[in-house]
């Protein structure tokens, strides 16, 4: 059951015979010995699996092709876009390897190649995409488990922008100025801010999903396929009421179609510049919605349901720390401790005056 690699003309060919089986002989169409040997090794491994009645183990590139054929049609736009970018830019030499051969050392070397030109946080994102693909193969029982054990890199969390409440009116007014020729964009931006919708969810939002009597909005097309009624703030109800329709898109684009990807970028850049803000993006509007609810005492489980997250850890990642809120809480705690009593111009140094 050995295999042989030999040259015919300028190309390498391979030959092997399985026990009790027919002889296999093919050309690799390769002039490079190392690449030809890899092709022969895969062909031999595939033949062994087929002979034992098992599925063939694909290379990473072949697995991506299978994912795009079978999963992409039902996956979210962000997943499809992420896998496409991973395939085109970030394989780092892994494409021709069998997924069963993607061991810990190989993955660590590929990640180091990624880190040579990119930040650690993007390396973690890269590893998540790779896990998504190979775990899909595990679920399909192509391989028994992930063939590597590579932890995520520890990354220092950087505070992300949230839209300050005291600037919200001015910022939305600038959005309106920047969208005079496309007012649907201004509507969609308010849906993202007021309901915590993703950009794609705001673009696909329909009038029939609003319950005006109960003042709720139930997203009908979401990333996680959840249909959870979301309470609508009074200001958003008042804003939408004069434009109310029985059905159809709330914020239609040209010719009544959904707004395209990235529809809010230009308007948000204009509004950010006009109000001296940085980092306010569609995703950070969603984060702002979650953070504001948290600051007002909304339980994390409720915010998780409104954000439609499967894992509360994902929700926690959306919340930003507001030290002003912490300071006000400290003041309220102090008032409870001292019951408003003061010692001259300063309070006592402790509950018992110690």
């Amino acid at each position: 059951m050995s295999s042989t690699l030999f040259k015919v003309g300028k190309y390498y060919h391979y030959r092997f015979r399985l026990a009790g089986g027919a002889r296999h002989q093919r050309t690799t169409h390769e002039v490079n010995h190392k690449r030809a040997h890899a092709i022969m090794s895969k062909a031999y491994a595939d033949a062994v699996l087929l002979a034992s009645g098992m599925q063939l183990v694909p290379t990473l590139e072949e697995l991506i092709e299978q994912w795009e054929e079978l999963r992409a049609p039902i996956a979210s736009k962000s997943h499809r876009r992420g896998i496409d970018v991973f395939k085109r830019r970030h394989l780092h030499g892994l494409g021709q390897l069998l997924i069963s051969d993607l061991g810990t050392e190989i993955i660590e070397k590929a990640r180091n190649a990624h880190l040579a030109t990119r930040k650690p946080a993007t390396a973690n994102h890269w590893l998540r995409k790779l896990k998504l693909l190979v775990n899909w193969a595990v679920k399909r029982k192509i391989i028994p488990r992930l063939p590597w054990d590579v932890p995520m890199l520890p990354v220092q969390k950087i505070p992300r922008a949230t839209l300050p409440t005291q600037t919200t009116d001015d910022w939305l007014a600038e959005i309106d100025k920047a969208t005079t020729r496309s007012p649907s964009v201004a509507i969609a931006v308010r849906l993202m801010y007021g309901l915590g919708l993703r950009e794609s969810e705001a673009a696909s939002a329909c009038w029939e999903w609003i319950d005006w009597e109960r003042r709720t909005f139930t997203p009908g097309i979401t990333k996680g396929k959840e249909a959870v009624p979301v309470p609508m703030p009074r200001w958003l109800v008042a804003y939408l009421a004069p434009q109310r329709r029985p059905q159809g898109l709330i914020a239609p684009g040209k010719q009544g179609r959904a707004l395209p990807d990235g529809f809010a970028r230009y308007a948000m850049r204009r509004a950010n510049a006009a109000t001296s803000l940085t980092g306010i993006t569609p995703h950070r509007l969603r984060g702002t919605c979650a953070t504001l609810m948290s600051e007002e005492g909304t339980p994390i489980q409720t915010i998780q349901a409104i954000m439609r997250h499967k894992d509360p850890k994902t929700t926690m990642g959306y919340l930003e720390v507001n030290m002003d809120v912490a300071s006000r809480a400290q003041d309220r705690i102090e008032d409870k401790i001292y019951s408003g009593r003061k010692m001259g111009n300063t309070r006592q140094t402790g509950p018992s005056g110690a």
Side-chain angles (χ1 to χ4, degrees):
M1 296 204 309
S2 62
S3 53
T4 305
L5 192 64
F6 57 95
K7 260 192 170 183
V8 176
K10 65 177 182 178
Y11 294 117
Y12 281 97
H13 290 235
Y14 63 82
R15 178 191 303 123
F16 62 82
R17 183 193 300 272
L18 301 181
R23 187 178 73 167
H24 296 256
Q25 181 170 325
R26 300 283 189 279
T27 177
T28 66
H29 298 288
E30 280 289 348
V31 296
N32 179 278
H33 183 274
K34 183 177 180 180
R35 291 196 296 267
H37 191 276
I39 292 171
M40 178 186 70
S41 298
K42 183 179 185 307
Y44 182 80
D46 289 349
V48 171
L49 285 174
L50 285 174
S52 61
M54 298 178 66
Q55 293 190 65
L56 298 181
V57 176
T59 64
L60 182 56
E61 284 186 350
E62 290 170 343
L63 181 68
I64 293 173
E65 289 177 2
Q66 293 173 17
W67 188 93
E68 289 178 329
E69 178 184 358
L70 301 175
R71 291 294 301 172
I74 58 175
S76 67
K77 284 185 179 180
S78 60
H79 267 163
R80 295 198 299 270
R81 185 165 53 247
I83 295 299
D84 180 63
V85 172
F86 177 86
K87 176 183 69 173
R88 290 186 291 105
R89 301 181 184 177
H90 304 316
L91 291 184
H92 301 303
L94 302 180
Q96 294 300 315
L97 296 180
L98 298 176
I99 59 173
S100 56
D101 292 340
L102 299 178
T104 298
E105 183 177 351
I106 290 174
I107 298 303
E108 287 180 333
K109 287 181 178 179
R111 185 174 65 181
N112 289 341
H114 188 89
L115 285 169
T117 56
R118 293 171 179 85
K119 295 180 180 179
T122 70
N124 287 342
H125 185 67
W126 173 83
L127 187 58
R128 290 188 193 98
K129 291 299 180 188
L130 184 59
K131 279 187 173 181
L132 181 149
L133 289 164
V134 180
N135 271 328
W136 180 63
V138 173
K139 290 179 181 178
R140 297 175 66 207
K141 303 188 185 304
I142 295 175
I143 56 175
R145 60 186 177 277
L146 280 179
W148 70 81
D149 182 14
V150 179
M152 295 291 178
L153 296 174
V155 178
Q156 178 66 45
K157 183 178 179 181
I158 300 174
R160 293 165 298 177
T162 56
L163 182 58
T165 52
Q166 64 270 25
T167 314
T168 298
D169 279 347
D170 292 339
W171 189 83
L172 289 174
E174 294 298 331
I175 289 288
D176 292 336
K177 290 179 184 178
T179 58
T180 53
R181 298 180 63 180
S182 52
S184 287
V185 172
I187 297 173
V189 167
R190 285 171 169 83
L191 292 176
M192 288 187 273
Y193 176 68
L195 299 174
L197 299 184
R198 300 175 178 90
E199 187 177 30
S200 60
E201 293 170 349
S204 62
C206 293
W207 289 108
E208 53 265 38
W209 300 346
I210 296 178
D211 186 327
W212 296 95
E213 183 177 348
R214 292 181 175 83
R215 213 180 76 198
T216 60
F217 176 84
T218 305
I221 303 175
T222 65
K223 178 181 177 182
K225 310 301 185 286
E226 300 90 350
V228 179
V230 178
M232 296 177 64
R234 289 191 300 268
W235 66 263
L236 183 58
V237 173
Y239 175 81
L240 292 176
Q243 309 169 65
R244 180 175 175 176
R245 300 288 185 275
Q247 61 183 13
L249 294 172
I250 298 176
K254 293 181 179 179
Q255 298 179 346
R257 295 192 293 264
L259 291 166
D261 292 344
F263 64 84
R265 292 173 189 165
Y266 170 77
M268 286 193 176
R269 284 198 297 266
R270 290 279 303 270
N272 289 348
T275 55
S276 301
L277 295 175
T278 58
I280 305 300
T281 64
H283 201 63
R284 290 316 307 152
L285 282 186
R286 181 168 161 81
T288 296
C289 179
T291 298
L292 291 177
M293 285 190 290
S294 177
E295 291 175 358
E296 293 303 317
T298 306
I300 187 67
Q301 297 91 334
T302 303
I303 300 175
Q304 178 188 351
I306 292 174
M307 295 288 105
R308 300 170 303 286
H309 291 149
K310 297 183 184 298
D311 190 335
K313 291 180 182 178
T314 305
T315 308
M316 291 296 294
Y318 274 69
L319 307 181
E320 298 300 314
V321 176
N322 187 327
M323 290 304 175
D324 290 339
V325 174
S327 180
R328 291 196 296 271
Q330 289 173 336
D331 290 343
R332 290 194 296 271
I333 293 169
E334 186 177 6
D335 288 338
K336 290 180 180 178
I337 292 173
Y338 294 106
S339 300
R341 291 180 288 110
K342 293 185 178 181
M343 298 295 291
N345 292 327
T346 60
R347 293 188 183 274
Q348 297 174 358
T349 56
S352 61

